[in-house]
Amino acid sequence: MNWLLLAFGSAFFAGLTAIFGKLGVEGMSSNLATFIRTIVVLFVSAGIISMRNEWQLPQHIAAKPLTFLILSGIATGLSWLCYYRALQLAPASWVAPIDKLSVVIAIVLGVVVLKEPISLQLVIGSSFILLGVLVLSL
């Protein structure tokens, strides 16, 4: 149940991100806004790591996981840069639903790349997400 609570927390804070981001990019470069957001994320993460005393690095960090963490960071940065620029150009109520196509993309990549199992529930749910995005963006 812990993962479910965290997943809902992620969705809630992502929703706040759209609203706060839209208000935050007014009158400044979307790239600068993304940089400021990144600095804040860095400090929040460092604070949590400090509070939990988790600064100890593993004895050995394998190249493969480290490579994928770096690629994930690059993807996150590019996503945030695109997101903030889109928020500057369009209402949050238009940008946020399209951004949620990331759920469908993650499902497809999970099945294709990670060989995760396909279920009827997965197909129907992702189809509804796709349909919802299409309805909201037309």
Side-chain angles (χ1 to χ4, degrees), residues 7-9 24 32 35 40 49 53 74 88 100 103 107 111 124 127:
F8 278 114
L32 178 59
F35 179 73
V40 171
I49 291 168
N53 196 27
I74 292 168
Q88 236 177 8
K100 297 313 168 222
V103 174
I107 289 169
V111 168
I124 292 171
S127 297

Side-chain angles (χ1 to χ4, degrees), residues 30-31 34 76-88 95:
S30 61
N31 295 327
T34 302
T76 298
L78 293 172
S79 172
W80 289 0
L81 288 166
C82 292
Y83 188 70
Y84 268 51
R85 184 65 179 139
L87 282 175
Q88 236 177 8
V95 173

